[in-house]
Amino acid sequence: MIKARISGMGYYAPEKVYDNAYMEQIVETNDEWIVQRTGIKERHIAADDEYTSDLATRAAEKALENSKTAAEEIELIIVATVTPDYFTPSVACVVQKNIGAENAAAFDLNAACSGFVTALDTAEKFIAVGKYKKALVIGADALSKATDYKDRATCILFGDAAGAAVLEASDEGGLIASCIGARGKDFDKITNLAYRHDEAELEKRVSKQNGTLWMAGSEVMKFAVRKMAEAANEVVEAAGLKMSDIDLLIPHQANMRIIDGAAKRLDIDDDKVFRNLQKYGNTSAASIPVALCEALYEGRIKRGDKIIIVGFGAGLTWGAALIEW
Ligand code: UT7
């Protein structure tokens, strides 16, 4: 089997920032509650005329530069997102045009916050069978476009960003184990209606507005702690390793309590757990690639390191991958 290695990464977060003091002005909340219950201090918010494809394009350009890859060399673009600019075309096709990757197949994938892991796993399959040699995998979301800013239980959580990775065929290292999964019976725990008319769903929303995201926060939180730990253990076992062999754990940055809970179950040293959600909040599909890229840029990742990325999200979905850098 051909291996698939990440040869470069990039990320982008919009300039505008909503800090907790700003959130205090728009809903009944306070900095202390937000920090204690979530760990979040600020989130980046796309401008009114800035969309998911714009964030994805910026991240993709940086990833190409970081991996010294020309856009024309890319054969596949997968964008994981739940906040596309259009229902059709895909964000991936818009990115293909923006960066000039005209030789690439392009499509979007919806696995919510598990999207980047799912996209990476998918791209790896194309590389492993020898179909493609270079792919661009992007997690990008502008959740602020779908946030109910009347709902204090959700609006304090979300931010916008994009993270991108160039994945390429290699003889060594790369994605050495992965798992993805879904529990569709809990599809109604996190929802954002598209064409479906559903009065009961609208009624759950504080704003009663279509196109906004709603979730059963505490239920999702319990699921997340358990599932992230299970998925991380699954990939370590599949790779024939032990948790003590892992150099860095990059969990989905949704809530500090979820990360702490999962890390405790995994019995992994705390200094091996990467956290940046205080700066970005929950950026959905962008959360893991932004964190992975920051860790890389900060020099916390070196060749040969074993890294777990693990996420959960709407669906309900989950996914984990063990990467040898
Ligand atoms: O990417 C996947 C997406 N999903 C998630 O990551 C969500 C995971 N869930 C969470 O992060 C947490 O459930 C939340 C942060 C959303 C909420 O934390 P919680 O500890 O589950 O709180 P809760 O929903 O049980 O609410 C506790 C109290 C409630 O008041 P009462 O009923 O006890 O009087 C809420 O009304 O906190 C209140 N509350 C707030 N208070 C101040 C909820 N939101 C806020 C707020 N500020 N922003």
Side-chain angles (χ1 to χ4, degrees):
M1 276 292 236
I2 304 161
K3 303 248 171 53
R5 271 193 63 226
I6 292 178
S7 59
M9 292 200 74
Y11 75 94
Y12 173 75
E15 260 172 52
K16 186 164 64 174
V17 168
Y18 286 176
D19 60 10
N20 289 349
Y22 178 78
M23 300 314 292
E24 284 177 5
Q25 289 172 36
I26 60 171
V27 283
E28 200 185 326
T29 189
N30 56 78
D31 176 59
E32 194 190 351
W33 191 96
I34 301 174
V35 172
Q36 273 179 9
R37 297 284 184 133
T38 74
I40 299 164
K41 293 192 170 141
E42 54 187 35
R43 342 78 202 112
H44 291 251
I45 303 293
D48 289 347
D49 61 351
E50 191 175 35
Y51 297 94
T52 297
S53 68
D54 302 313
L55 313 184
T57 299
R58 298 261 202 142
E61 284 167 347
K62 289 184 191 172
L64 290 174
E65 193 188 325
N66 184 248
S67 81
K68 300 185 173 59
T69 301
E72 300 77 32
E73 294 174 61
I74 298 294
E75 297 162 293
L76 172 69
I77 301 172
I78 308 178
V79 176
T81 188
V82 290
T83 50
D85 304 29
Y86 310 93
F87 281 126
T88 194
S90 64
V91 173
C93 283
V94 180
V95 171
Q96 190 230 39
K97 180 208 76 152
N98 288 350
I99 63 173
E102 52 206 35
N103 300 312
F107 62 88
D108 287 1
L109 167 161
N110 175 344
C113 308
S114 316
F116 181 78
V117 180
T118 308
L120 199 67
D121 201 21
T122 305
E124 187 264 345
K125 302 295 174 281
F126 282 99
I127 289 174
V129 298
K131 173 89 177 163
Y132 298 127
K133 287 193 176 59
K134 291 191 185 192
L136 188 56
V137 181
I138 306 170
D141 267 308
L143 272 188
S144 67
K145 313 275 184 203
T147 297
D148 182 349
Y149 282 101
K150 289 199 161 88
D151 181 3
R152 66 176 183 170
T154 56
C155 74
I156 50 116
L157 298 172
F158 303 130
D160 304 336
V166 175
L167 195 67
E168 59 181 69
S170 164
D171 297 334
E172 50 176 14
L175 229 74
I176 53 177
S178 62
C179 73
I180 54 171
R183 196 163 82 185
K185 75 179 168 65
D186 282 330
F187 79 96
D188 57 353
K189 298 290 183 268
I190 309 177
T191 54
N192 183 9
L193 290 164
Y195 290 120
R196 192 181 182 90
H197 182 78
D198 189 332
E199 280 300 327
E201 275 291 336
L202 281 182
E203 216 27 60
K204 290 182 191 171
R205 283 144 174 83
V206 180
S207 67
K208 314 289 180 219
Q209 251 180 19
N210 215 347
T212 57
L213 197 140
W214 176 89
M215 73 176 162
S218 323
E219 287 172 69
V220 174
M221 191 148 85
K222 281 178 215 136
F223 162 83
V225 171
R226 202 181 61 249
K227 217 46 196 180
M228 288 220 292
E230 278 174 18
N233 272 327
E234 192 176 327
V235 290
V236 169
E237 211 169 289
L241 297 170
K242 293 192 291 297
M243 199 50 75
S244 52
D245 297 320
I246 300 305
D247 299 290
L248 195 61
L249 176 78
I250 311 243
H252 171 40
Q253 308 286 311
N255 183 319
M256 202 69 88
R257 285 151 64 210
I258 296 177
I259 297 177
D260 293 349
K264 199 166 160 207
R265 280 180 181 232
L266 288 171
D267 198 19
I268 186 167
D269 294 347
D270 200 55
D271 60 359
K272 291 182 175 180
V273 182
F274 192 83
R275 297 171 175 90
N276 67 358
L277 86 167
Q278 63 283 0
K279 296 189 286 182
Y280 301 107
N282 179 349
T283 59
S284 186
S287 145
I288 289 174
V290 169
L292 187 58
C293 188
E294 274 203 345
L296 181 68
Y297 286 8
E298 285 171 17
R300 286 187 65 176
I301 298 177
K302 56 181 190 312
R303 196 71 190 257
D305 275 0
K306 293 183 181 60
I307 297 152
I308 295 175
I309 55 173
V310 58
F312 68 93
L316 296 172
T317 56
W318 63 89
L322 205 160
I323 300 166
E324 191 181 303
W325 205 263

